[in-house]
Amino acid sequence: MAQPQQQMMEMPDLSNAIVAQDEMGRPFIIVKDQSNKKRQHGLEAKKSHILAARSVASIIKTSLGPRGLDKILISPDGEITITNDGATILSQMELDNQIAKLLVQLSKSQDDEIGDGTTGVVVIASALLDQALELIDKGIHPIKIANGFDEAAKLAVSHLESVTEDITAIEFEKDSKLLNDYLFKAAKTSLGSKIVSKVHDKFAQMAVDSILSVMDKERKDVDFDLIKLQTRVGGSLEDSSLIKGVLLDKEFSHPQMPSKVLPREGQKSVKLAILTCPFEPPKPKTKHKLDISSVEEYKKLQTYEQDKFKEMIQYVKDSGADVVICQWGFDDEANHLLLQNELPAVRWVGGQELEHIAISTNGRIVPRFQDLSPDKLGECSSIYELEFGTTKDRMLVIEQPEESKTVTCFIRGSNKMIIDEAQRALHDSLCVVRNLIKDSRIVYGGGAAEVTMSLAVSEEADKQRGIHQYAFKAFANALDTVPMTLAENSGLDPIETLSTLKSKQLKENIPVFGVDCLGKGSNDMKELFVVDPFISKKQQIMLATQLCRMILKIDNVIISGKDEY
């Protein structure tokens, strides 16, 4: 009788095996199971990357343009953010895919460098990858496509540069009103797609005024540390205002101190003493113990403390200060003495705020009472308390209308989410104005710049030989995605809108025709005054092309899973 054939067991992979011993000293082998390792390669890997990028872009696409929609993002701890700012949406989304994370970094780098155009850059990058996928399916090598895209991007940017308009032709000093008007319109374009678009005139004016107040005219640069964005829930967006000076979330230390301090008679300004030393009797820095054994000794200590307080206040009065700003707190005795000597005081002011006050008032931060002197005092035109509604909340304004070196944008709104979004919107428009001060060339928005570049690239495509021709055409098609998305979000027919724009730009040969998103009845972006800084558009094209090249070069993805025993 034939014996049943023994089934051979498959031998496990012993390359990673470990020899161990049990408690009796008997050896046994532990074999790692590596079945969790995943690998994608070749075309399959590229397709999965491009699909990941496409899915991220499809979420963000609908928030492009003035008719773009907002997204609600709920964090793991239940915090809600409502926004249509591309960088904010992507940074708060939890993404597993590594390629999707690259798109997040792409929009973050656009946000860090330029501050605006974070949605557009992701839309362009995704469109380039979509076009590349079609070419890969035709059998064209990915590096050839990437090289073609690089050439096309250079051509697109140089063509766009040739059709920019420079607003520094308008001299700063000669015609400042015209320049302000340009900056105002650019800031307004940036705010058009945000939640504050109902009051964008006010916010755009705030952005322009604050940048022009603190900008360095010689270097043509702006230090954003000098512009503080302060928020307070309550009121409406219309109540937001620009304060030339510093706004403190503090009040005077004693309720009987005056709520408004004006210059004394014969003086032009209010004098401020900015102190980082506490109103307290001196103590040894090391651990110490004080033994008091009699009433006389206690009285002596009390008298010493009182004398010290009086001495400190005398130093402040001798310097000629009207108001004391102190980094530390002080007890009731010091507070009472300050009130008696008619010295309004503010306590517990943070280090950063102290620096702001010192910059704004031209004062010096003084670490010791003995160092106080009239030349170290800050000067401002007035200090007053702002009161809000029925909550008895107060804030202090240190105002410096003439030649203020720092400004505060005070944003009000009905709830925290609106205020946060308004703050992000104002930051974007501040960045746009700053970019125009730095590089004053502008291009026209509403997709006009993209259509111009697309036409130039597709015209060049016909002159190319070989494979590059395909890459150039694909690049031109990718650029068309921006005007098409704008048209789609505005409820227009995307293909019809795009073909109308292209024919208009070709016939009249001027790069000002864009998508009429708000239904104003004109496609002329110069007439509607929809402008973007040139450096923002240039950065978008460059960053998107570089990211596309990087993704196309990846052909192997090895995901090492956790080893299981």
Side-chain angles (χ1 to χ4, degrees):
M1 206 172 84
Q3 282 187 337
Q5 213 175 7
Q6 278 190 336
Q7 278 189 332
M8 285 291 289
M9 250 183 74
E10 195 183 328
M11 277 297 288
D13 176 14
L14 295 177
S15 59
N16 280 334
I18 301 171
V19 178
Q21 289 182 330
D22 63 8
E23 64 273 11
M24 305 296 293
R26 290 177 296 220
F28 62 91
I29 294 173
I30 300 172
V31 180
K32 284 186 188 178
D33 177 18
Q34 287 196 319
S35 59
N36 272 16
K37 219 174 205 183
K38 290 179 191 165
R39 183 178 170 211
Q40 286 180 330
H41 58 94
L43 199 58
E44 182 199 346
K46 288 196 177 61
K47 278 187 176 168
S48 79
H49 297 161
I50 291 167
L51 290 174
R54 190 185 290 174
S55 61
V56 170
S58 65
I59 295 168
I60 217 172
K61 235 180 202 178
T62 51
S63 62
L64 186 74
R67 291 268 189 251
L69 303 174
D70 289 9
K71 312 276 180 262
I72 286 190
L73 302 157
I74 302 170
S75 69
D77 53 357
E79 204 174 297
I80 296 174
T81 309
I82 298 178
T83 182
N84 76 354
D85 177 53
T88 313
I89 295 170
L90 288 176
S91 62
Q92 299 213 4
M93 276 165 54
E94 287 197 7
L95 300 165
D96 293 334
N97 190 292
Q98 298 309 314
I99 301 300
K101 284 180 184 170
L102 286 177
L103 284 176
V104 176
Q105 288 163 12
L106 171 76
S107 76
K108 189 177 182 308
S109 61
Q110 174 78 10
D111 196 31
D112 293 347
E113 190 66 27
I114 302 293
D116 195 30
T118 50
T119 312
V121 71
V122 176
V123 171
I124 294 172
S126 150
L128 283 172
L129 287 169
D130 275 355
Q131 292 295 327
L133 184 60
E134 286 180 22
L135 296 183
I136 289 170
D137 283 344
K138 285 179 183 170
I140 299 172
H141 195 280
I143 300 297
K144 284 265 173 78
I145 300 169
N147 289 344
F149 279 179
D150 278 352
E151 293 297 318
K154 279 179 196 162
L155 177 86
V157 170
S158 64
H159 175 72
L160 190 63
E161 198 164 353
S162 66
V163 296
T164 54
E165 286 191 22
D166 195 341
I167 57 171
T168 28
I170 313 154
E171 285 296 322
F172 276 83
E173 280 75 22
K174 285 181 194 163
D175 196 350
S176 59
K177 186 176 181 313
L178 197 58
L179 178 81
N180 288 6
D181 202 35
Y182 260 89
L183 296 174
F184 173 72
K185 295 283 172 56
K188 206 168 147 181
T189 305
S190 155
L191 292 167
S193 61
K194 307 284 188 241
I195 205 164
V196 297
S197 56
K198 286 278 174 281
V199 286
H200 59 9
D201 281 16
K202 180 161 200 161
F203 272 73
Q205 199 57 57
M206 273 165 70
V208 174
D209 289 349
S210 49
I211 293 279
L212 291 178
S213 298
V214 303
M215 84 175 193
D216 185 335
K217 283 189 181 171
E218 287 169 15
R219 282 175 51 228
K220 286 196 176 178
D221 200 7
V222 177
D223 183 359
F224 273 133
D225 288 341
L226 302 176
I227 301 171
K228 197 174 167 203
L229 301 181
Q230 188 94 15
T231 60
R232 175 59 66 112
V233 175
S236 65
L237 285 169
E238 283 90 348
D239 300 334
S240 302
S241 60
L242 179 72
I243 293 164
K244 297 264 179 102
V246 183
L247 184 68
L248 290 178
D249 199 356
K250 298 274 177 269
E251 48 190 281
F252 285 123
S253 59
H254 198 290
Q256 286 174 309
M257 285 174 181
S259 59
K260 185 163 189 174
V261 182
L262 291 167
R264 291 184 193 162
E265 278 183 39
Q267 283 190 345
K268 289 181 183 174
S269 56
V270 178
K271 303 267 195 262
L272 287 153
I274 307 165
L275 304 171
T276 55
C277 42
F279 269 99
E280 286 174 359
K283 294 189 189 104
K285 290 272 191 285
T286 52
K287 272 192 176 181
H288 64 283
K289 193 178 172 190
L290 206 61
D291 287 328
I292 296 172
S293 51
S294 64
V295 178
E296 285 78 25
E297 282 179 2
Y298 182 74
K299 280 187 176 169
K300 198 173 165 187
L301 179 69
Q302 203 176 12
T303 322
Y304 169 75
E305 284 194 355
Q306 281 174 346
D307 289 347
K308 271 290 171 196
F309 276 132
K310 283 174 185 162
E311 188 189 325
M312 289 170 186
I313 282 165
Q314 199 54 48
Y315 275 129
V316 177
K317 288 207 67 112
D318 290 347
S319 70
D322 301 325
V323 177
V324 179
I325 309 274
C326 187
Q327 188 174 11
W328 303 103
F330 30 83
D331 58 14
D332 293 344
E333 192 172 353
N335 211 357
H336 174 69
L337 281 168
L338 284 163
L339 178 70
Q340 264 188 340
N341 286 282
E342 294 180 355
L343 275 173
V346 188
R347 55 185 164 187
W348 297 121
V349 179
Q352 220 174 355
E353 289 165 328
L354 271 187
E355 285 173 19
H356 259 263
I357 296 167
I359 293 167
S360 179
T361 60
N362 263 337
R364 296 277 294 278
I365 296 173
V366 181
R368 276 192 293 276
F369 286 99
Q370 291 85 337
D371 295 349
L372 262 176
S373 60
D375 59 319
K376 289 181 181 170
L377 299 178
E379 293 184 357
C380 66
S381 60
S382 66
I383 299 178
Y384 58 90
E385 281 184 348
L386 281 178
E387 281 201 23
F388 303 104
T390 55
T391 55
K392 292 184 183 169
D393 277 350
R394 290 191 184 94
M395 287 176 109
L396 269 183
V397 178
I398 299 172
E399 206 171 32
Q400 181 82 333
E402 274 83 46
E403 291 298 309
S404 174
K405 289 183 182 166
T406 63
V407 292
T408 306
C409 298
F410 186 39
I411 303 168
R412 307 293 311 279
S414 55
N415 60 45
K416 191 172 180 302
M417 286 172 281
I418 283 184
I419 283 181
D420 288 346
E421 180 63 355
Q423 194 173 342
R424 281 189 288 270
L426 187 57
H427 176 264
D428 279 7
S429 64
L430 284 169
C431 290
V432 166
V433 180
R434 194 277 310 258
N435 292 337
L436 279 179
I437 296 284
K438 248 180 158 178
D439 181 343
S440 54
R441 290 170 295 176
I442 57 164
V443 292
Y444 290 96
E450 282 82 1
V451 172
T452 310
M453 288 191 283
S454 167
L455 288 170
V457 173
S458 52
E459 191 184 324
E460 186 63 31
D462 297 335
K463 299 174 191 171
Q464 294 290 321
R465 289 184 178 181
I467 303 290
H468 272 190
Q469 189 173 10
Y470 287 99
F472 270 62
K473 279 191 172 157
F475 194 89
N477 291 342
L479 287 171
D480 291 341
T481 313
V482 174
M484 282 172 81
T485 308
L486 281 172
E488 204 174 317
N489 290 349
S490 308
L492 306 167
D493 182 336
I495 297 167
E496 190 185 330
T497 311
L498 182 66
S499 51
T500 312
L501 290 183
K502 281 195 166 180
S503 66
K504 266 191 175 179
Q505 285 211 16
L506 275 171
K507 267 182 204 164
E508 303 188 26
N509 202 19
I510 39 173
V512 295
F513 296 108
V515 182
D516 177 21
C517 297
L518 297 170
K520 294 275 174 72
S522 164
N523 285 114
D524 190 339
M525 294 292 132
K526 194 168 188 174
E527 192 184 306
L528 298 176
F529 223 113
V530 179
V531 292
D532 278 327
F534 164 67
I535 52 172
S536 173
K537 282 276 176 262
K538 177 183 172 184
Q539 189 81 2
Q540 277 188 351
I541 300 294
M542 292 319 230
L543 285 176
T545 314
Q546 283 166 16
L547 180 89
C548 184
R549 182 187 188 91
M550 185 178 159
I551 293 175
L552 287 177
K553 284 186 81 170
I554 302 170
D555 78 328
N556 242 321
V557 182
I558 299 165
I559 305 166
S560 0
K562 289 191 181 85
D563 287 331
E564 290 181 2
Y565 290 103

